[in-house]
Amino acid sequence: MADQCILGCILATLFGLFAIYYLVIKKKVQSANKYLLEARSESVNSIATTNGECRSGNVSDADVIIVGAGVAGAALAHTLGKDGRRVRVIERDLTEPDRIVGELLQPGGYLKLVELGLEDCVTKIDAQRVNGYALFKDGKHAQLSYPLEKFHSDVAGRSFHNGRFIQRMREKAASLPNVQLEQGTVTSLVEEKGTIRGVQYKTKDGQELTSFAPLTIVCDGCFSNLRRSLCNPKVDVPSCFVGMVLENCQLPYANHGHVILGDPSPILMYPISGTEVRCLVDVPGQKVPSISSGEMEKYLKTVVAPQLPPEVYNAFLAAVDKGNIRTMPNRSMPAAPYPTPGALLMGDAFNMRHPLTGGGMTVALSDIVVLRNLLRPLHDLHDAPILCKYLESFYTLRKPVASTINTLAGALYKVFCASPDQARKEMRDACFDYLSLGGVFSEGPVSLLSGLNPRPLSLVVHFFAVAVYGVGRLILPFPSPKRIWIGARLILGASGIIFPIIRAEGVRQMFFPATIPAYYRAPPVK
């Protein structure tokens, strides 16, 4: 009976807050037309036409041009090529990438990899199976396993060297006879009467060429120089990662990602090979201690190292002494597209979230599944009006999965960061203890984190369940005015964390995806 009352209070609080937010705060309307025209002038070139046809010295016979061959671009090239599309991929650098992120694929992302027929890309690269997470805070720890009981035994997370994974997918894509992989730098999109017709690019040897296709998909990553013409690029940089590799290190929990709720912000560790562990130290803000002056080494040894589990302490110090320390800004950018005939953004060029939860590749692979299913009924991509309608549906169809993962990443990062504010501190403690309860209290959030159950309503319910749980701990059994005040601020703080993120993601499409146009729900019969 008590449990039912608690559940009723949580649901009443949740729906009350949501109703107030939805009724009082109206969604902003983005007046971006003028901005779009100014942005396009920098990365789009208009072309002249003769009798309505595009003319070029190098006319491509591709159905799709893909800019970039990272995780999103390579996976998309293989997927569309397998469906019989003629695909041309233009990648700036085809050598093996060396990055400190994009190394953890959640189980939900692995399922998408299987759906795309790319699961063998995590073989022969010394990828490690990941079965869940371990949380550490103030000497306490909790093990959170992925709920994989209903899946095939092969389903789990995977962690690996990012470059090895990308090279495997590039090889897989290039093995298809109708996929052409070329090294070159795309300098601009080619536009005719408001429709993107292709790209201008420089080849490896400096030759300037133009390639045409009815559909151009831009997947050139977080540093994209083309996104300004296709979306509203409001990039936020909440923090930076300081990355290093720990060698011959035994983590406290084998085959698990490790999250240390440190001060001032989280520290991540997970295996990327049989002998290497990736360590990522989050540093809030856009500036990190200087590596060249020795400030970074001092910060890592005096501030970070004492907060680590004893099992990894010596390996961490050895990695710091070795000196191969790298930094990377953590970018966040909501998907705010300008629907453009003939063009589409995907991957980090389109949508980014804080990498704390490792959800980026899951979102990208999920988007590819959505796009593949959308394009399959279309035999002729040259029918620009129909193609444009289908591409607009892509933004609606991707929302529930992508926005859930994005919102979770942003909300968890804010909760996991240390704060002098007592209400934020209570929220952080409540989140750790709530997840430590196990059962439904951990299974639901971990299902969201892993991409196995990316449902927006489930995310909101669990987030406010944590807040209500924190309030209950404060006011029971003997409430005081101070504790009640802190509890009220905790609830308001939780609302202030999650609702702005949901608002940026788009409330209507996130929670009410049924507004999909009829022409997609009943596609043409092949």
Side-chain angles (χ1 to χ4, degrees):
M1 185 67 181
D3 291 342
Q4 293 178 351
C5 291
I6 293 173
L7 180 61
C9 290
I10 291 173
L11 292 175
T13 303
L14 165 65
F15 289 113
L17 287 169
F18 188 79
I20 292 172
Y21 175 82
Y22 193 77
L23 292 174
V24 175
I25 304 179
K26 297 182 179 179
K27 186 179 179 182
K28 290 183 179 179
V29 178
Q30 299 176 343
S31 56
N33 290 337
K34 181 179 179 181
Y35 176 83
L36 172 58
L37 292 174
E38 293 174 352
R40 280 188 175 174
S41 65
E42 298 179 7
S43 57
V44 175
N45 285 339
S46 298
I47 58 172
T49 62
T50 304
N51 297 327
E53 295 182 354
C54 301
R55 297 296 180 188
S56 170
N58 181 28
V59 179
S60 172
D61 59 354
D63 298 313
V64 181
I65 295 172
I66 297 176
V67 182
V71 171
L76 182 62
H78 177 266
T79 300
L80 297 182
K82 197 169 63 171
D83 276 2
R85 308 287 185 188
R86 294 167 297 175
V87 181
R88 183 173 215 173
V89 186
I90 304 173
E91 162 60 34
R92 182 181 59 83
D93 186 358
L94 287 175
T95 59
E96 184 175 309
D98 183 16
R99 302 181 64 199
I100 64 172
V101 292
E103 299 173 314
L104 177 62
L105 180 65
Q106 297 287 2
Y110 180 78
L111 286 173
K112 297 300 180 184
L113 208 64
V114 172
E115 192 172 349
L116 295 171
L118 291 166
E119 66 274 18
D120 58 343
C121 291
V122 295
T123 63
K124 300 179 181 179
I125 61 171
D126 199 13
Q128 302 297 298
R129 184 184 175 95
V130 179
N131 296 322
Y133 278 88
L135 287 182
F136 294 79
K137 181 181 180 295
D138 300 332
K140 300 183 291 183
H141 52 87
Q143 183 178 4
L144 310 175
S145 297
Y146 294 136
L148 302 173
E149 297 80 10
K150 298 179 181 179
F151 299 94
H152 187 274
S153 59
D154 188 52
V155 177
R158 296 291 193 279
S159 52
F160 38 69
H161 282 270
N162 171 268
R164 297 175 187 174
F165 179 55
I166 287 176
Q167 290 301 87
R168 286 280 288 161
M169 288 203 294
R170 288 174 178 175
E171 292 168 6
K172 185 104 173 178
S175 68
L176 298 175
N178 51 324
V179 175
Q180 179 186 353
L181 197 59
E182 181 179 357
Q183 183 163 310
T185 301
V186 175
T187 55
S188 63
L189 302 175
V190 176
E191 180 183 15
E192 178 207 357
K193 297 180 180 178
T195 298
I196 302 300
R197 299 296 188 187
V199 299
Q200 290 184 344
Y201 68 102
K202 288 184 179 181
T203 63
K204 186 178 180 180
D205 57 8
Q207 187 179 5
E208 295 187 4
L209 299 176
T210 303
S211 183
F212 292 97
L215 176 59
T216 299
I217 303 177
V218 177
C219 309
D220 55 346
C222 61
F223 298 105
S224 173
N225 64 337
L226 302 176
R227 69 157 63 99
R228 290 176 60 85
S229 61
L230 300 174
C231 78
N232 186 8
K234 291 185 177 180
V235 180
D236 181 36
V237 183
S239 67
C240 297
F241 267 160
V242 178
M244 63 196 78
V245 173
L246 313 188
E247 297 178 345
N248 300 310
C249 172
Q250 296 296 321
L251 292 170
Y253 292 88
N255 299 110
H256 280 66
H258 291 58
V259 181
I260 297 97
L261 303 187
D263 187 355
S265 52
I267 304 156
L268 306 181
M269 292 186 181
Y270 48 86
I272 56 174
S273 75
T275 60
E276 298 167 299
V277 169
R278 169 64 70 194
C279 176
L280 295 171
V281 178
D282 185 87
V283 179
Q286 299 184 24
K287 293 184 178 180
V288 297
S290 170
I291 295 176
S292 59
S293 68
E295 292 180 12
M296 178 66 77
E297 180 180 350
K298 181 180 178 182
Y299 176 81
L300 294 175
K301 287 185 174 180
T302 60
V303 177
V304 177
Q307 303 183 66
L308 300 178
E311 293 92 335
V312 302
Y313 181 81
N314 290 332
F316 180 83
L317 292 182
V320 175
D321 289 335
K322 190 174 182 180
N324 188 18
I325 300 170
R326 301 171 60 187
T327 63
M328 186 204 74
N330 292 325
R331 295 172 174 82
S332 177
M333 184 181 74
Y338 301 140
T340 305
L344 190 71
L345 274 170
M346 292 191 74
D348 284 349
F350 174 47
N351 185 201
M352 293 179 282
R353 76 292 308 147
H354 195 284
L356 172 69
T357 59
M361 289 189 289
T362 300
V363 171
L365 294 171
S366 175
D367 284 352
I368 290 170
V369 171
V370 171
L371 183 62
R372 177 199 65 181
N373 295 340
L374 266 175
L375 295 181
R376 272 183 171 170
L378 297 180
H379 298 290
D380 183 11
L381 298 182
H382 288 84
D383 192 335
I386 292 181
L387 176 62
C388 188
K389 288 182 179 180
Y390 272 70
L391 295 182
E392 287 182 17
S393 294
F394 167 78
Y395 301 119
T396 299
L397 290 163
R398 70 178 298 272
K399 270 293 181 182
V401 172
S403 294
T404 300
I405 293 174
N406 294 344
T407 303
L408 179 65
L412 269 186
Y413 177 71
K414 291 184 178 180
V415 171
F416 280 177
C417 284
S419 172
D421 182 79
Q422 187 63 30
R424 288 283 297 273
K425 182 179 181 298
E426 290 291 341
M427 182 72 175
R428 190 183 193 221
D429 293 343
C431 185
F432 179 86
D433 292 342
Y434 181 89
L435 294 171
S436 301
L437 292 173
V440 67
F441 303 102
S442 64
E443 184 175 317
V446 173
S447 294
L448 291 162
L449 178 70
S450 62
L452 295 172
N453 177 31
R455 297 180 181 175
L457 187 57
S458 179
L459 166 63
V460 176
V461 167
H462 279 287
F463 190 82
F464 280 101
V466 170
V468 173
Y469 174 75
V471 172
R473 297 194 320 166
L474 280 169
I475 66 176
L476 296 177
F478 303 109
S480 67
K482 180 179 179 180
R483 287 175 172 266
I484 292 174
W485 170 241
I486 293 174
R489 286 176 54 216
L490 193 157
I491 291 290
L492 290 174
S495 303
I497 288 173
I498 197 167
F499 282 142
I501 302 174
I502 291 175
R503 186 181 183 185
E505 290 293 328
V507 175
R508 182 181 63 81
Q509 290 183 337
M510 184 173 174
F511 287 92
F512 306 104
T515 56
I516 297 170
Y519 56 76
Y520 174 72
R521 293 200 299 268
V525 179
K526 288 187 178 181

